[in-house]
Amino acid sequence: MTLFWEDFKVGETIEMGCHTFTESEIIEFARQFDPQPFHLDEEAARASLFGGLIASGWHTGAMFIRMVVEHMTPVHATSGAMGFDDLKWIRPVRPGDVLSVESVIREKSESRSRPDRGTVKIESRISNQRGEVVMSLVSLVIYLRR
Amino acid sequence: MTLFWEDFKVGETIEMGCHTFTESEIIEFARQFDPQPFHLDEEAARASLFGGLIASGWHTGAMFIRMVVEHMTPVHATSGAMGFDDLKWIRPVRPGDVLSVESVIREKSESRSRPDRGTVKIESRISNQRGEVVMSLVSLVIYLRR
């Protein structure tokens, strides 16, 4: 089933996930993209502001989009994100943490210039296994209309 | 040389980069984190809104932080990002594109609760080899003070 712009209802909540962050994947992502000591090495991380190894915030973001895509496919065959507002990394993500995503549809608008599409504003919170929010963001996504 | 909060000057511009996005790394990132058809497969991408293979916006974000870390290390040994505002994916990033980063220091403030640190607000633009901005964002980063 492919979802279109019309299928999203303002106020609706969508739950997605979950994913367990392992120490080895935290370090592997950091080696590729964010080689800062507190993402790479437990001992160096203990001496940092964070007091221990934490995932790159961009790793949390990348796993967020994977959880969304896995849950929403094939929705996203007809969509594209324009960006987002107000992304916050609220708490560190540490090895063993299990993250899940809750998204709420906040606003919808039709495109003025392109009648075949519209935008959907989606607020998402990524939480850990203790129910603590670790990251939040508001996305603006384009969907095709029926 | 380790840089501290005091070393950043409001209005200062820092240039970083650059990185060439290859087709294989675009597809590899998408397989791991953002398996949407227009990031995975040239043929499927031609039928999408984007008309051809494009990098995941999160891939562009991950390469942005790598360019920053490679340029600024060991600055970041003493820092941590809190998040950002107003991230925009303005233009697609396609195979062969060469991206670079230009960051401007916009604001600084001392922490009220923790006198050993302060925040720096940094506006960054990621541009391609034609000088077109493909992504922009405003980051809020914590730095230790001297």
Side-chain angles (χ1 to χ4, degrees):
Chain A
M1 185 181 72
T2 299
L3 292 180
F4 290 91
W5 181 81
E6 287 82 352
D7 298 313
F8 292 88
K9 285 167 190 39
V10 172
E12 179 187 15
T13 297
I14 304 166
E15 294 189 9
M16 296 170 260
C18 48
H19 180 78
T20 303
F21 278 68
T22 66
E23 178 170 335
S24 62
E25 72 177 287
I26 288 173
I27 292 171
E28 177 55 30
F29 186 95
R31 278 204 188 112
Q32 279 189 71
F33 298 112
D34 196 353
Q36 302 188 66
F38 41 82
H39 300 319
L40 281 173
D41 180 76
E42 175 59 35
E43 199 167 329
R46 272 201 296 273
S48 76
L49 294 182
F50 304 106
L53 193 74
I54 64 167
S56 166
W58 291 95
H59 188 186
T60 310
M63 285 312 309
F64 159 76
I65 191 63
R66 186 163 115 191
M67 287 189 272
V68 170
V69 171
E70 283 176 348
H71 186 86
M72 305 284 274
T73 298
V75 173
H76 277 244
T78 62
S79 73
M82 301 167 69
F84 42 83
D85 288 329
D86 200 25
L87 184 146
K88 290 195 182 76
W89 289 307
I90 298 164
R91 281 184 184 80
V93 175
R94 300 188 187 273
D97 279 356
V98 183
L99 302 194
S100 57
V101 177
E102 187 183 82
S103 297
V104 182
I105 310 303
R106 290 295 182 204
E107 289 176 30
K108 291 174 64 177
S109 56
E110 300 168 23
S111 169
R112 283 177 215 168
S113 55
R114 301 198 174 198
D116 66 336
R117 60 193 72 176
T119 57
V120 183
K121 186 177 268 195
I122 305 172
E123 184 178 340
S124 298
R125 281 180 301 191
I126 299 92
S127 301
N128 64 23
Q129 68 278 16
R130 291 177 295 279
E132 299 162 338
V133 178
V134 299
M135 176 176 138
S136 65
L137 75 166
V138 177
S139 315
L140 204 59
V141 187
I142 306 170
Y143 287 96
L144 288 180
R145 303 182 64 180
R146 282 185 198 285
Chain B
M1 184 181 72
T2 299
L3 292 180
F4 290 90
W5 181 82
E6 286 82 353
D7 298 313
F8 292 88
K9 286 166 189 41
V10 172
E12 178 187 16
T13 297
I14 304 166
E15 293 188 10
M16 295 170 260
C18 49
H19 180 78
T20 303
F21 278 68
T22 65
E23 179 168 332
S24 63
E25 72 176 284
I26 288 173
I27 292 171
E28 177 55 29
F29 186 95
R31 277 203 190 113
Q32 279 190 71
F33 298 112
D34 195 354
Q36 302 188 68
F38 41 83
H39 300 318
L40 281 173
D41 181 76
E42 175 60 35
E43 199 167 329
R46 272 200 295 273
S48 76
L49 295 182
F50 304 106
L53 193 74
I54 64 167
S56 167
W58 291 95
H59 188 187
T60 309
M63 285 312 309
F64 158 75
I65 192 63
R66 187 164 113 189
M67 287 189 273
V68 170
V69 171
E70 284 177 348
H71 185 85
M72 305 283 275
T73 298
V75 173
H76 276 245
T78 61
S79 74
M82 301 167 70
F84 42 83
D85 287 328
D86 199 25
L87 184 145
K88 290 195 182 75
W89 288 307
I90 298 164
R91 283 185 182 80
V93 175
R94 299 188 188 273
D97 278 356
V98 184
L99 302 194
S100 58
V101 177
E102 187 181 84
S103 295
V104 182
I105 310 304
R106 289 295 183 206
E107 288 176 31
K108 291 174 64 177
S109 56
E110 299 167 25
S111 169
R112 281 178 217 167
S113 56
R114 301 198 173 196
D116 66 336
R117 60 193 72 176
T119 56
V120 182
K121 187 177 267 195
I122 305 172
E123 184 179 340
S124 297
R125 281 180 301 191
I126 299 93
S127 302
N128 64 23
Q129 67 279 16
R130 292 177 295 280
E132 299 163 340
V133 178
V134 299
M135 178 176 137
S136 65
L137 75 166
V138 178
S139 313
L140 204 58
V141 187
I142 306 169
Y143 286 96
L144 287 181
R145 303 181 65 181
R146 283 186 197 283

